[in-house]
Amino acid sequence: MNAYEMKQAARRARFEELAAKAESESTQTYGRARKMSESIPFGQPVLVGHHSERRDRNFRDRIHDTFGKAFALRDKAEYYERKAENVGQGGISSDDPEAPDKLRLELATLEELQERMKAANRIIRQREGDEDGQVNGLLALGWLTNAQARELVRPDFAGRVGFPGFALTNNSANIRRIKNRIASLEKLRQRPGAESEGRGYTYREDTGENRVMFIFPDKPPEAVRKLLSARAFKWSPTRNAWVRKMSNAALWAAQSIRETLDKPE
Protein backbone atom coordinates (compact mmCIF):
# COMPACT_ATOMS: atom_id res chain seq x y z
CA MET A 1 0.00 0.00 0.00
CA ASN A 2 1.57 3.31 -1.08
CA ALA A 3 1.22 6.64 0.74
CA TYR A 4 -1.84 7.67 -1.27
CA GLU A 5 -3.60 4.34 -0.63
CA MET A 6 -2.79 4.62 3.08
CA LYS A 7 -4.29 8.11 3.09
CA GLN A 8 -7.43 6.79 1.39
CA ALA A 9 -7.69 3.95 3.92
CA ALA A 10 -7.38 6.44 6.78
CA ARG A 11 -10.05 8.62 5.20
CA ARG A 12 -12.39 5.63 4.87
CA ALA A 13 -11.74 4.66 8.49
CA ARG A 14 -12.49 8.22 9.63
CA PHE A 15 -15.87 8.19 7.85
CA GLU A 16 -16.67 4.77 9.29
CA GLU A 17 -15.84 6.06 12.77
CA LEU A 18 -18.09 9.10 12.28
CA ALA A 19 -20.89 6.84 11.03
CA ALA A 20 -20.58 4.54 14.05
CA LYS A 21 -20.60 7.52 16.42
CA ALA A 22 -23.72 9.01 14.83
CA GLU A 23 -25.44 5.61 14.86
CA SER A 24 -24.68 5.16 18.56
CA GLU A 25 -25.94 8.65 19.38
CA SER A 26 -29.08 8.02 17.32
CA THR A 27 -29.83 4.81 19.22
CA GLN A 28 -29.32 6.50 22.59
CA THR A 29 -31.43 9.52 21.64
CA TYR A 30 -34.23 7.34 20.29
CA GLY A 31 -34.22 5.32 23.52
CA ARG A 32 -34.42 8.51 25.55
CA ALA A 33 -37.38 9.72 23.47
CA ARG A 34 -39.16 6.38 23.89
CA LYS A 35 -38.65 6.50 27.65
CA MET A 36 -40.02 10.04 27.77
CA SER A 37 -43.10 9.07 25.75
CA GLU A 38 -43.82 6.07 27.98
CA SER A 39 -44.40 8.42 30.92
CA ILE A 40 -47.60 9.63 29.22
CA PRO A 41 -50.46 7.10 29.45
CA PHE A 42 -51.44 5.77 26.00
CA GLY A 43 -54.17 7.94 24.53
CA GLN A 44 -53.94 10.54 27.29
CA PRO A 45 -54.96 13.92 25.76
CA VAL A 46 -53.72 17.31 26.83
CA LEU A 47 -55.97 18.55 29.62
CA VAL A 48 -56.99 21.90 28.17
CA GLY A 49 -57.44 24.51 30.88
CA HIS A 50 -55.80 22.39 33.54
CA HIS A 51 -52.90 23.91 35.48
CA SER A 52 -50.64 21.24 33.92
CA GLU A 53 -51.52 22.12 30.28
CA ARG A 54 -48.46 24.28 29.50
CA ARG A 55 -46.03 21.88 31.20
CA ASP A 56 -47.64 18.93 29.40
CA ARG A 57 -47.43 20.61 25.98
CA ASN A 58 -43.79 21.57 26.54
CA PHE A 59 -42.97 18.01 27.56
CA ARG A 60 -44.69 16.58 24.45
CA ASP A 61 -42.75 19.09 22.31
CA ARG A 62 -39.49 17.88 23.87
CA ILE A 63 -40.47 14.29 23.07
CA HIS A 64 -41.13 15.27 19.45
CA ASP A 65 -37.83 17.15 19.20
CA THR A 66 -35.90 14.26 20.74
CA PHE A 67 -37.35 11.79 18.23
CA GLY A 68 -36.42 14.28 15.49
CA LYS A 69 -32.82 14.43 16.71
CA ALA A 70 -32.65 10.63 16.71
CA PHE A 71 -33.84 10.45 13.09
CA ALA A 72 -31.45 13.25 12.07
CA LEU A 73 -28.55 11.36 13.64
CA ARG A 74 -29.57 8.21 11.76
CA ASP A 75 -29.51 10.21 8.52
CA LYS A 76 -26.07 11.52 9.50
CA ALA A 77 -24.83 7.96 10.07
CA GLU A 78 -26.11 6.90 6.64
CA TYR A 79 -24.41 9.93 5.07
CA TYR A 80 -21.01 8.95 6.50
CA GLU A 81 -21.59 5.29 5.59
CA ARG A 82 -22.06 6.36 1.96
CA LYS A 83 -18.97 8.56 2.17
CA ALA A 84 -16.93 5.61 3.44
CA GLU A 85 -18.23 3.35 0.67
CA ASN A 86 -17.37 5.92 -2.00
CA VAL A 87 -13.75 6.42 -0.94
CA GLY A 88 -11.55 5.17 -3.75
CA GLN A 89 -14.50 4.52 -6.07
CA GLY A 90 -13.95 7.56 -8.27
CA GLY A 91 -11.45 5.90 -10.58
CA ILE A 92 -7.68 6.32 -10.64
CA SER A 93 -6.70 9.57 -8.95
CA SER A 94 -3.83 11.66 -10.24
CA ASP A 95 -2.77 11.98 -6.57
CA ASP A 96 -1.84 8.30 -6.60
CA PRO A 97 1.92 8.00 -7.29
CA GLU A 98 1.18 4.72 -9.07
CA ALA A 99 -1.50 6.32 -11.29
CA PRO A 100 0.49 6.02 -14.58
CA ASP A 101 1.15 2.30 -14.00
CA LYS A 102 -2.47 1.65 -13.03
CA LEU A 103 -3.65 3.56 -16.09
CA ARG A 104 -1.35 1.47 -18.30
CA LEU A 105 -2.96 -1.70 -16.94
CA GLU A 106 -6.40 -0.25 -17.69
CA LEU A 107 -5.18 0.78 -21.15
CA ALA A 108 -3.88 -2.72 -21.87
CA THR A 109 -7.25 -4.19 -20.91
CA LEU A 110 -9.12 -1.81 -23.21
CA GLU A 111 -6.71 -2.41 -26.10
CA GLU A 112 -7.10 -6.16 -25.69
CA LEU A 113 -10.89 -5.76 -25.68
CA GLN A 114 -10.72 -3.68 -28.86
CA GLU A 115 -8.73 -6.37 -30.67
CA ARG A 116 -11.08 -9.08 -29.42
CA MET A 117 -14.15 -7.23 -30.68
CA LYS A 118 -12.50 -6.65 -34.07
CA ALA A 119 -11.50 -10.31 -34.35
CA ALA A 120 -15.03 -11.47 -33.49
CA ASN A 121 -16.58 -9.14 -36.06
CA ARG A 122 -14.14 -10.36 -38.76
CA ILE A 123 -15.18 -13.96 -38.18
CA ILE A 124 -18.86 -13.06 -38.33
CA ARG A 125 -18.36 -11.16 -41.63
CA GLN A 126 -16.22 -13.89 -43.20
CA ARG A 127 -18.81 -16.60 -42.41
CA GLU A 128 -21.92 -14.58 -43.17
CA GLY A 129 -24.95 -16.84 -43.66
CA ASP A 130 -23.39 -19.75 -41.77
CA GLU A 131 -24.55 -19.31 -38.18
CA ASP A 132 -22.99 -22.53 -36.93
CA GLY A 133 -19.73 -21.65 -38.64
CA GLN A 134 -19.81 -18.21 -37.08
CA VAL A 135 -20.41 -19.68 -33.63
CA ASN A 136 -17.63 -22.24 -34.03
CA GLY A 137 -15.25 -19.53 -35.23
CA LEU A 138 -16.08 -17.36 -32.24
CA LEU A 139 -15.63 -20.25 -29.83
CA ALA A 140 -12.21 -20.92 -31.34
CA LEU A 141 -11.11 -17.48 -30.11
CA GLY A 142 -11.16 -19.01 -26.64
CA TRP A 143 -12.79 -16.21 -24.63
CA LEU A 144 -16.51 -16.52 -25.42
CA THR A 145 -19.02 -18.98 -24.02
CA ASN A 146 -21.42 -20.77 -26.35
CA ALA A 147 -24.28 -18.57 -25.12
CA GLN A 148 -22.25 -15.40 -25.72
CA ALA A 149 -21.22 -16.52 -29.22
CA ARG A 150 -24.81 -17.31 -30.22
CA GLU A 151 -25.97 -13.97 -28.83
CA LEU A 152 -23.40 -12.18 -30.99
CA VAL A 153 -24.56 -13.81 -34.24
CA ARG A 154 -28.23 -13.14 -33.46
CA PRO A 155 -29.41 -9.86 -35.05
CA ASP A 156 -30.39 -7.16 -32.57
CA PHE A 157 -33.41 -4.85 -32.85
CA ALA A 158 -31.65 -2.93 -35.65
CA GLY A 159 -30.59 -6.09 -37.51
CA ARG A 160 -26.95 -5.77 -36.44
CA VAL A 161 -24.77 -8.76 -35.60
CA GLY A 162 -21.48 -8.87 -33.74
CA PHE A 163 -20.19 -6.03 -31.65
CA PRO A 164 -21.93 -2.80 -32.74
CA GLY A 165 -19.90 0.05 -34.17
CA PHE A 166 -20.63 2.33 -31.25
CA ALA A 167 -19.05 -0.20 -28.85
CA LEU A 168 -15.76 -0.07 -30.76
CA THR A 169 -15.97 3.71 -31.17
CA ASN A 170 -16.59 4.29 -27.46
CA ASN A 171 -13.83 1.90 -26.45
CA SER A 172 -11.44 3.57 -28.88
CA ALA A 173 -12.31 6.96 -27.39
CA ASN A 174 -11.53 5.62 -23.91
CA ILE A 175 -8.20 4.31 -25.16
CA ARG A 176 -7.29 7.76 -26.52
CA ARG A 177 -8.47 9.43 -23.30
CA ILE A 178 -6.29 7.18 -21.12
CA LYS A 179 -3.26 7.59 -23.40
CA ASN A 180 -3.62 11.36 -23.20
CA ARG A 181 -4.01 11.22 -19.43
CA ILE A 182 -0.89 9.07 -19.04
CA ALA A 183 1.10 11.51 -21.19
CA SER A 184 -0.24 14.48 -19.21
CA LEU A 185 0.54 12.85 -15.84
CA GLU A 186 4.05 11.91 -16.87
CA LYS A 187 4.71 15.44 -18.10
CA LEU A 188 3.47 16.90 -14.81
CA ARG A 189 5.51 14.38 -12.77
CA GLN A 190 8.65 15.47 -14.61
CA ARG A 191 7.92 19.12 -13.86
CA PRO A 192 10.17 20.40 -11.03
CA GLY A 193 8.58 21.98 -7.99
CA ALA A 194 8.52 25.76 -7.86
CA GLU A 195 8.03 28.54 -5.34
CA SER A 196 8.10 32.29 -5.85
CA GLU A 197 6.92 35.46 -4.16
CA GLY A 198 4.23 37.72 -5.58
CA ARG A 199 2.49 40.89 -4.43
CA GLY A 200 1.35 39.82 -0.97
CA TYR A 201 1.40 36.06 -1.57
CA THR A 202 3.62 33.04 -2.08
CA TYR A 203 2.99 30.84 -5.11
CA ARG A 204 3.97 27.19 -4.89
CA GLU A 205 3.86 24.19 -7.25
CA ASP A 206 4.19 21.16 -4.99
CA THR A 207 4.77 18.12 -7.18
CA GLY A 208 4.96 15.89 -4.10
CA GLU A 209 1.41 16.76 -3.08
CA ASN A 210 0.29 17.22 -6.68
CA ARG A 211 -1.07 20.66 -5.81
CA VAL A 212 -0.80 24.24 -7.01
CA MET A 213 -1.26 26.71 -4.16
CA PHE A 214 -1.38 30.34 -3.12
CA ILE A 215 -0.29 31.20 0.42
CA PHE A 216 -1.18 34.54 2.03
CA PRO A 217 0.18 35.91 5.30
CA ASP A 218 -3.37 36.91 6.32
CA LYS A 219 -6.88 36.34 5.07
CA PRO A 220 -6.96 37.83 1.56
CA PRO A 221 -9.54 40.48 0.61
CA GLU A 222 -12.94 39.32 -0.64
CA ALA A 223 -12.11 40.27 -4.24
CA VAL A 224 -9.03 38.02 -4.13
CA ARG A 225 -11.00 35.17 -2.56
CA LYS A 226 -13.62 35.47 -5.31
CA LEU A 227 -10.87 35.43 -7.94
CA LEU A 228 -9.36 32.26 -6.47
CA SER A 229 -12.75 30.55 -6.15
CA ALA A 230 -13.66 31.47 -9.72
CA ARG A 231 -10.50 29.64 -10.86
CA ALA A 232 -11.46 26.54 -8.81
CA PHE A 233 -8.95 27.14 -5.99
CA LYS A 234 -10.26 26.09 -2.58
CA TRP A 235 -9.18 27.00 0.93
CA SER A 236 -7.31 24.17 2.65
CA PRO A 237 -7.06 24.62 6.44
CA THR A 238 -4.54 21.78 6.71
CA ARG A 239 -2.18 23.48 4.24
CA ASN A 240 -3.14 27.04 5.25
CA ALA A 241 -3.34 27.83 1.55
CA TRP A 242 -5.67 28.12 -1.43
CA VAL A 243 -5.09 24.97 -3.46
CA ARG A 244 -6.03 23.17 -6.63
CA LYS A 245 -5.01 19.76 -7.91
CA MET A 246 -2.13 20.13 -10.33
CA SER A 247 -3.04 19.93 -14.00
CA ASN A 248 -2.39 21.92 -17.15
CA ALA A 249 -5.67 23.76 -16.57
CA ALA A 250 -4.68 24.53 -12.97
CA LEU A 251 -1.30 25.90 -14.06
CA TRP A 252 -2.96 28.14 -16.65
CA ALA A 253 -5.47 29.33 -14.04
CA ALA A 254 -2.67 30.06 -11.57
CA GLN A 255 -0.81 32.09 -14.19
CA SER A 256 -3.96 34.13 -14.84
CA ILE A 257 -4.42 34.77 -11.11
CA ARG A 258 -0.79 35.85 -10.69
CA GLU A 259 -1.06 38.29 -13.57
CA THR A 260 -4.09 39.85 -11.92
CA LEU A 261 -2.60 39.97 -8.42
CA ASP A 262 0.74 41.34 -9.61
CA LYS A 263 -0.75 44.25 -11.56
CA PRO A 264 0.42 47.63 -10.18
CA GLU A 265 -2.32 49.37 -8.25
Side-chain angles (χ1 to χ4, degrees):
M1 186 178 290
N2 61 41
Y4 169 76
E5 292 168 336
M6 290 175 65
K7 184 177 178 181
Q8 289 291 83
R11 185 164 177 255
R12 186 183 301 108
R14 185 170 68 253
F15 286 139
E16 289 172 346
E17 182 179 349
L18 289 170
K21 180 181 178 182
E23 178 66 32
S24 176
E25 290 176 352
S26 174
T27 301
Q28 293 174 16
T29 305
Y30 183 80
R32 189 164 63 252
R34 283 290 301 273
K35 187 174 181 179
M36 291 169 67
S37 65
E38 288 170 358
S39 66
I40 300 176
F42 180 74
Q44 173 68 54
V46 174
L47 300 177
V48 179
H50 192 269
H51 66 84
S52 64
E53 178 184 353
R54 176 175 293 184
R55 185 174 65 253
D56 189 19
R57 288 188 184 278
N58 289 339
F59 185 66
R60 291 171 190 256
D61 287 343
R62 288 202 302 275
I63 293 172
H64 178 271
D65 291 344
T66 305
F67 272 120
K69 290 178 181 177
F71 298 144
L73 285 165
R74 176 83 278 276
D75 291 341
K76 184 178 180 180
E78 290 178 352
Y79 167 77
Y80 282 121
E81 286 169 359
R82 291 193 298 271
K83 294 278 283 185
E85 290 172 358
N86 290 334
V87 171
Q89 299 302 310
I92 300 171
S93 172
S94 55
D95 285 349
D96 188 342
E98 297 177 15
D101 291 336
K102 292 178 179 179
L103 286 169
R104 287 189 188 92
L105 288 175
E106 186 175 341
L107 175 63
T109 299
L110 292 178
E111 288 177 334
E112 181 181 3
L113 174 60
Q114 191 78 352
E115 293 306 313
R116 285 183 170 188
M117 290 192 292
K118 288 180 179 179
N121 283 353
R122 279 197 300 271
I123 289 173
I124 292 172
R125 287 196 304 271
Q126 291 168 356
R127 306 184 185 189
E128 185 177 357
D130 181 6
E131 183 174 321
D132 288 338
Q134 290 173 328
V135 170
N136 290 333
L138 291 174
L139 292 176
L141 293 174
W143 54 275
L144 289 166
T145 65
N146 187 274
Q148 290 171 333
R150 293 199 176 279
E151 183 65 25
L152 276 178
V153 302
R154 186 180 300 117
D156 64 9
F157 69 94
R160 297 171 299 200
V161 293
F163 290 97
F166 68 81
L168 286 111
T169 300
N170 291 345
N171 195 61
S172 179
N174 281 329
I175 289 173
R176 290 194 301 275
R177 175 182 60 79
I178 292 176
K179 283 182 176 179
N180 290 337
R181 191 175 173 208
I182 291 171
S184 178
L185 281 176
E186 289 182 333
K187 185 176 179 180
L188 288 173
R189 297 285 168 88
Q190 293 168 1
R191 185 185 181 94
E195 183 172 316
S196 59
E197 299 298 322
R199 288 173 58 88
Y201 68 89
T202 300
Y203 172 71
R204 181 180 299 161
E205 294 174 10
D206 192 324
T207 55
E209 284 201 46
N210 195 38
R211 293 293 186 274
V212 181
M213 60 185 75
F214 286 87
I215 305 168
F216 297 86
D218 301 299
K219 184 176 181 180
E222 182 179 359
V224 175
R225 299 199 304 272
K226 287 183 176 179
L227 175 65
L228 291 161
S229 296
R231 301 294 192 278
F233 279 81
K234 296 182 179 180
W235 172 248
S236 171
T238 57
R239 299 180 179 89
N240 198 33
W242 288 79
V243 304
R244 180 172 170 179
K245 186 176 290 188
M246 187 176 289
S247 66
N248 289 329
L251 294 170
W252 278 106
Q255 181 61 33
S256 172
I257 292 171
R258 297 192 70 187
E259 289 173 359
T260 300
L261 296 180
D262 291 341
K263 282 181 180 178
E265 296 181 356

